[in-house]
Amino acid sequence: MTIDTFDGTAVKPTHWNLASVIEQLRVSREATHNIRHHGRVRELPSRDALQTIVNGLQAVLFPTHYGRPNLTDESIDFFVGDTLNTTLNRLAEQVRRGLQFSAEEAIPDEEALTRQAHGITRQFAAGLPGIRALLVSDVQAAFAGDPAATSVAEIMLCYPGTIAILYYRLAHSLHRLGSPFLARLISDIAHSLTGIDIHPAAQIGASFFIDHGTGVVIGETAIIGQRVRLYQHVTLGAKRFPADDKGALIKGVPRHPIVEDDVVIYAGATVLGRIVIGAGSTIGGNVWLTQSVPPASNVSQAQMRND
């Protein structure tokens, strides 16, 4: 017996010994390497649905940039209202799914879970005007801080830093409201799109600008003030990870830098640990920094080599 392939050639069927492989996978899945939740089957949030939701939220926040460029003063509110209603309905379902994976204790019944998801979604919607205000400040900071920028539209459509910050602002709101799993998924989508990795729990002030952006990493407990500018391959990371007496990492401990207002950190700088970068400081390119610096400091690679 032969099988015709798509290119017209004939090959003999191959036996993959599937019965044995399937059996071993079942043993791994159900016994030796079981990582499944012991209880009812839980629906995972959908990355495709989340991408659609973020696209809808972008269009709601900036209708002519991310929605429809031909909107008029008469039609724009109808577009925003219809898009927002559809998007929030989709979001509520994804929040509900995500909550099943966020709860440490037993998962509440379906009705309680749905009520909780609707409550989070309602609070998220109420915060959208504030999120838009922050994003406008970020766009203005990019336009003011980059001599190559020719227009606001260019920044919003072509700058990966701006896209990553938009995703972060949305994810941070969901994280703060009690939907951390969903927030992490949104952040990971942004990371895939832009090469910029911002944990949704990080706290970032207004007028934030990431120039170029590829390779930027901002950790979970980082705190960033207002009017801060980062360049590509900057890391705001942890110096060490505290563990308990059994060797397990202790989660949630503040371990990332605090960057005060009006700081500039140039390309390739690595800033580690719960240190403070004083307001108005400049951290030069490729600096490895693990100690706090006072306000108005100017730290260069040459200075670090001399220490």
Side-chain angles (χ1 to χ4, degrees), residues 136-152 154-155 159 162 207-212 227-232 263-266:
V136 168
S137 78
D138 300 328
V139 171
Q140 290 172 336
F143 187 74
D146 185 4
T150 60
S151 67
V152 166
E154 179 189 9
I155 289 165
Y159 279 45
T162 299
S207 301
F208 182 48
F209 177 34
I210 302 175
D211 200 357
H212 303 294
R227 300 174 300 279
V228 170
R229 188 192 323 167
L230 307 182
Y231 287 82
Q232 66 271 24
V263 169
V264 179
I265 305 180
Y266 283 98

Side-chain angles (χ1 to χ4, degrees), residues 170-184:
L170 297 171
H172 179 70
S173 178
L174 286 168
H175 192 282
R176 183 177 54 83
L177 292 170
S179 187
F181 187 24
L182 215 63
R184 283 288 279 162

Side-chain angles (χ1 to χ4, degrees), residues 25-45:
L25 286 173
R26 182 175 65 251
V27 171
S28 175
R29 190 174 61 244
E30 297 182 358
T32 54
H33 310 110
N34 189 343
I35 60 172
R36 290 189 301 169
H37 174 72
H38 296 285
R40 71 182 183 213
V41 175
R42 299 177 292 179
E43 303 164 280
L44 283 164

Side-chain angles (χ1 to χ4, degrees), residues 56-70:
L57 293 170
Q58 286 179 305
V60 165
L61 295 169
F62 301 100
T64 58
H65 286 92
Y66 298 123
R68 296 179 183 172
N70 61 344

Side-chain angles (χ1 to χ4, degrees), residues 49-50 52-53 56 83-96 121 182:
L50 284 174
T52 299
I53 287 164
T83 303
L84 184 57
N85 184 60
T86 300
T87 300
L88 291 177
N89 283 329
R90 289 172 174 158
L91 177 61
E93 168 58 17
Q94 297 305 309
V95 170
R96 184 192 68 79
T121 304
L182 215 63

